[in-house]
């Protein structure tokens, strides 16, 4: 009898273990699926041109401070470098000559906040949009492999790669975040030392701070990072703004990081006191900006996605029709039943799903519009106080299509208090200086990451979309190749799509 009960109990345990294993493997597969790796990578090499020497004749070249165009310049590119520029440059033998008359040459654009996940075609979406460098803000081993490949064959944007996000959880919760969010977790100084040393050795360019790190591990991370000469970037963790200013963190990943802390300081319902809150922020914004400036903290923008929050929340279908959805990785936008990680209706975490009463919806709408207004107020204060701002989009977050979203971000910056010259500087020279990667300026000795436009972006920021040629290192593409790349990505996406998006295509 005892043996029978024992066997029965054993069978039950084995059955439960089997069910648990099946659930785990299903969930793990779902979490990996939404990274986008299953979409076929296009064969881009045949669509890219290469020449040892290229001369762009008689074009208008953006000045180093982005304030004006220098007319009638010849730009000589050799082996991926700008070797000289000026009027009537000599033509070298076997050089490819391109006519730049009445066109505008700008540095390659830089998106300072992206999430590549495992969606490799995104690299080519960036190039097709004139984005020749990106800062990957939640890196993983595969992106380190992609960077090595780009360094060898040159086909892709330059990659600055921050580490996976850092958390300070321990025990089961720590393992859970490591599994579900591919995060780095440590709760002691010894663990932090070990992990940061390993991240440095793996080749990450920075440590990505996340918002839930406790004050003790935040300070520990900064101290160890300084010892290993690796910058800390990203979110403001669980500390006050006053503590953050003096922390030694080099960059803040979103302007909204500031306004969220300011909302906490306000201490009242934003939805029920919107005007009072905006007055509160207005009274503090300049002082906040001055402190950020004094402590040499760089701020990445991500304004466009914040502006989309109310629209995604209450009119998602219309918002999806405005973007180039067909080029976004289908597995990223389709999400998973595990959690609202996608972009589409029913899959989108920003979409309104709370108490569905007129009063509740009204209060939510007021909150999110106030949230947007706060970002505009804070951006203006940062600009007025000459804080270092870099243009970034949070690409691959819902509705931020890689490459395309940067042009929307530049428009948002232009409408938020920056001159067009300042916007271009924030998307070229400023991040180039910050990353120290010899890009962001059209200057002898710099990498030949440049974009030739048919219209002047200083007159209208939308003109950054009028791309004729994109040069990246030793390679270049023109409008014909760009169209071919986009078509190939669209076809690859369609072949891996489970949810039709025809109603959203423009």
């Amino acid at each position: 009898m005892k043996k029978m009960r024992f066997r029965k109990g054993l069978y039950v345990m084995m059955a439960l273990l089997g069910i648990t294993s099946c659930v785990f493997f299903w969930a793990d597969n779902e979490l990996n699926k939404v990274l986008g790796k299953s979409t076929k990578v296009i064969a881009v090499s045949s669509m890219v041109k290469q020449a040892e020497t290229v001369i762009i004749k008689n074009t208008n070249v953006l000045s180093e401070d982005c304030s004006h165009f220098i007319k009638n310049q010849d730009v000589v590119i050799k082996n991926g470098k700008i070797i000289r520029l000026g009027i009537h440059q000599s033509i070298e033998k076997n050089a490819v000559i391109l006519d730049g008359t009445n066109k505008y040459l700008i540095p390659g654009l830089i998106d300072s906040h992206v999430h590549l996940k495992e969606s490799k075609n995104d690299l080519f979406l960036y190039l097709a949009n004139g984005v020749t460098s990106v800062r990957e803000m939640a890196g993983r081993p595969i992106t380190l492999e992609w960077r090595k490949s780009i360094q060898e064959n040159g086909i892709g944007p330059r990659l600055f790669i921050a580490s996976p996000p850092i958390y300070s959880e321990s025990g089961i919760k720590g393992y859970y975040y490591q599994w579900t969010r591919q995060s780095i977790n440590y709760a002691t100084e010894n663990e932090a030392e070990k992990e940061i040393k390993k991240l440095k050795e793996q080749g990450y360019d920075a440590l990505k701070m996340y918002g839930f790190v406790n004050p003790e591990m935040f300070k520990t991370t900064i101290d160890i990072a300084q010892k290993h000469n690796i910058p800390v970037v990203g979110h403001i963790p669980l500390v006050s703004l006053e503590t953050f200013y003096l922390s030694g963190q080099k960059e803040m990943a979103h302007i909204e990081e500031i306004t969220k802390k300011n909302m906490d300081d306000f201490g009242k319902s934003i939805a029920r006191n919107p005007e009072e809150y905006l007055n509160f922020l207005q009274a503090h914004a300049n002082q906040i900006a001055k402190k950020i400036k004094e402590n040499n903290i760089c701020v990445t923008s991500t304004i466009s996605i914040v502006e989309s929050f109310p629209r995604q929340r209450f009119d998602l279908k219309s918002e999806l029709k405005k973007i180039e959805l067909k080029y976004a990785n289908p597995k990223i936008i389709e999400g998973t039943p595990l959690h609202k990680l996608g972009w589409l209706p029913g899959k989108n975490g920003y979409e309104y799903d709370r108490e569905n009463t007129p009063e509740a919806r009204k209060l939510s709408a007021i909150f999110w519009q106030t949230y947007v207004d706060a970002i505009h107020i804070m951006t203006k204060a940062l600009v007025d106080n000459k804080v270092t701002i870099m243009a970034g989009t949070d690409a691959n977050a819902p509705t931020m299509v890689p490459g395309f979203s940067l042009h929307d971000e530049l428009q948002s910056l232009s409408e938020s208090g920056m001159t067009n010259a300042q916007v271009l500087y924030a998307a070229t020279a400023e991040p180039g200086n910050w990353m120290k990667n010899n890009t962001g300026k059209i200057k002898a000795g710099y990498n030949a990451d440049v974009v030739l436009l048919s219209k002047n972006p200083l007159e209208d920021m939308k003109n950054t979309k009028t791309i004729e040629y994109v040069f990246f290192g030793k390679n270049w593409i023109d409008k014909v190749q760009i169209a071919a790349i986009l078509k190939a990505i669209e076809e690859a996406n369609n072949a891996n799509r489970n949810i039709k998006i025809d109603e959203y295509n423009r």
Side-chain angles (χ1 to χ4, degrees):
M1 193 70 176
K2 287 184 178 180
K3 283 186 177 181
M4 288 179 65
R5 284 201 299 266
F6 175 77
R7 286 179 181 176
K8 186 177 180 180
L10 183 62
Y11 292 151
V12 170
M13 287 178 61
M14 290 176 66
L16 289 174
L17 182 61
I19 293 170
T20 302
S21 297
C22 288
V23 170
F24 171 80
F25 285 116
W26 173 80
D28 192 57
N29 180 67
E30 287 294 310
L31 290 170
N32 283 309
K33 184 177 70 176
V34 297
L35 298 175
K37 188 176 182 178
S38 64
T39 301
K40 182 180 178 181
V41 179
I42 67 169
V44 74
S45 58
S46 62
M47 307 177 202
V48 173
K49 297 181 179 180
Q50 189 177 98
E52 181 179 323
T53 305
V54 176
I55 303 176
I56 306 170
K57 297 284 291 181
N58 195 42
T59 195
N60 301 296
V61 172
L62 188 66
S63 62
E64 290 182 32
D65 65 358
C66 299
S67 66
H68 64 284
F69 279 93
I70 306 166
K71 296 181 179 180
N72 306 320
Q73 298 291 292
D74 295 346
V75 180
V76 182
I77 297 170
K78 191 167 186 176
N79 292 322
K81 298 285 184 182
I82 300 169
I83 61 170
R84 61 180 185 275
L85 63 162
I87 297 174
H88 304 311
Q89 293 293 303
S90 59
I91 298 176
E92 298 188 19
K93 185 179 179 181
N94 299 323
V96 173
I97 310 297
L98 300 176
D99 185 9
T101 303
N102 297 323
K103 294 181 173 62
Y104 301 85
L105 193 69
I106 66 171
L109 299 171
I110 301 172
D111 190 333
S112 290
H113 192 133
V114 312
H115 295 286
L116 290 165
K117 300 189 177 182
E118 296 185 10
S119 180
K120 192 173 185 181
N121 286 339
D122 292 354
L123 298 173
F124 315 129
L125 284 179
Y126 287 114
L127 295 179
N129 280 279
V131 181
T132 57
S133 293
V134 300
R135 291 198 321 151
E136 164 57 38
M137 291 297 284
R140 59 191 72 232
I142 196 170
T143 49
L144 296 174
E145 293 174 15
W146 290 349
R147 179 170 64 186
K148 184 177 179 181
S149 175
I150 292 169
Q151 289 168 346
E152 290 172 355
N153 66 34
I155 303 179
R158 297 182 194 278
L159 299 182
F160 178 100
I161 305 174
S163 73
I166 290 172
Y167 285 70
S168 59
E169 303 294 344
S170 59
I172 297 297
K173 196 172 183 180
Y175 285 116
Y176 174 77
Y177 282 132
Q178 282 180 287
W179 174 46
T180 59
R181 306 188 185 188
Q182 290 80 43
S183 66
I184 302 295
N185 265 284
Y186 46 71
T188 68
E189 184 176 348
N190 287 339
E191 290 173 352
E193 175 71 47
K194 181 180 177 181
E195 291 291 345
I196 292 170
K197 183 180 179 183
K198 182 169 40 172
L199 291 169
K200 174 77 172 181
E201 290 171 349
Q202 288 173 331
Y204 290 102
D205 298 305
L207 302 181
K208 170 67 180 290
M209 180 58 57
Y210 210 63
F212 303 120
V213 175
N214 64 52
E216 180 186 356
M217 281 299 100
F218 177 47
K219 184 179 186 306
T220 297
T221 300
I222 296 289
D223 291 344
I224 296 173
Q226 289 175 344
K227 184 173 70 174
H228 288 283
N229 194 30
I230 183 169
V232 178
V233 301
H235 297 243
I236 301 177
L238 299 173
V239 298
S240 67
L241 278 173
E242 290 296 327
T243 298
F244 179 79
Y245 297 143
L246 303 174
S247 68
Q249 184 164 318
K250 299 296 184 183
E251 182 255 13
M252 190 187 306
H254 310 270
I255 292 173
E256 66 176 314
E257 290 292 300
I258 307 169
T259 54
K260 285 191 293 186
K261 290 291 183 182
N262 184 256
M263 286 178 174
D264 290 343
D265 292 341
F266 179 62
K268 300 180 185 179
S269 167
I270 304 298
R272 296 187 184 278
N273 303 276
E275 290 185 16
E276 184 181 353
Y277 167 66
L278 292 177
N279 289 334
F280 177 83
L281 174 61
Q282 193 79 63
H284 291 85
N286 278 317
Q287 187 59 32
I288 292 170
K290 287 176 183 176
K291 289 284 189 179
I292 292 171
K293 176 67 175 178
E294 287 171 7
N295 289 284
N296 297 313
I297 301 169
C298 175
V299 181
T300 305
S301 57
T302 68
I303 296 172
S304 182
I305 187 172
V306 172
E307 291 173 334
S308 80
F309 288 164
R311 302 191 298 267
Q312 290 196 64
R313 198 157 181 80
F314 299 108
D315 195 9
L316 179 58
K317 288 189 175 182
S318 295
E319 183 68 7
L320 291 171
K321 290 177 182 178
K322 295 177 183 177
I323 64 173
E324 301 289 349
L325 186 63
K326 60 188 175 182
Y327 299 119
N329 189 298
K331 296 309 168 193
I332 292 174
I333 70 173
E334 289 172 3
T336 168
L338 277 174
H339 190 57
K340 283 192 168 186
L341 298 174
W343 300 20
L344 303 177
K347 313 283 186 178
N348 188 313
Y350 296 133
E351 192 176 19
Y352 186 81
D353 62 357
R354 302 294 179 86
E355 182 185 352
N356 199 18
T357 65
E359 175 69 6
R361 290 179 69 89
K362 178 183 176 182
L363 288 173
S364 182
I366 291 171
F367 173 84
W368 286 108
Q369 187 53 55
T370 306
Y371 199 91
V372 174
D373 293 342
I375 293 294
H376 292 157
I377 290 171
M378 196 65 237
T379 301
K380 182 66 165 57
L382 295 173
V383 173
D384 289 347
N385 287 278
K386 297 181 171 55
V387 171
T388 299
I389 298 175
M390 301 193 298
T393 67
D394 219 359
N396 269 332
T399 73
M400 296 293 107
V401 183
F404 294 93
S405 58
L406 184 59
H407 297 282
D408 297 330
E409 184 69 17
L410 302 187
Q411 187 67 29
S412 291
L413 285 166
S414 180
E415 295 169 358
S416 297
M418 297 180 82
T419 66
N420 286 354
Q422 289 173 324
V423 173
L424 286 174
Y425 199 84
T428 56
E430 198 74 270
N433 292 338
W434 195 93
M435 292 185 290
K436 299 179 175 64
N437 67 353
N438 218 32
T439 65
K441 297 177 183 178
I442 302 175
K443 182 177 181 180
Y446 270 53
N447 291 313
D449 299 348
V450 295
V451 180
L452 191 63
L453 305 173
S454 62
K455 295 182 180 180
N456 186 346
L458 289 177
E459 294 177 355
D460 188 337
M461 193 48 59
K462 292 178 182 177
N463 289 339
T464 57
K465 299 179 182 180
T466 63
I467 297 171
E468 299 280 331
Y469 294 88
V470 180
F471 299 84
F472 44 102
K474 298 179 182 179
N475 305 289
W476 49 285
I477 51 179
D478 62 19
K479 288 194 293 186
V480 174
Q481 282 84 48
I482 290 171
I485 289 169
L486 293 178
K487 182 180 178 182
I489 291 175
E490 182 182 1
E491 290 175 350
N493 286 348
N494 287 338
N496 197 31
R497 203 179 295 286
N498 288 334
I499 301 175
K500 291 186 178 181
I501 60 167
D502 296 350
E503 65 178 299
Y504 308 117
N505 285 338
R506 297 195 287 178

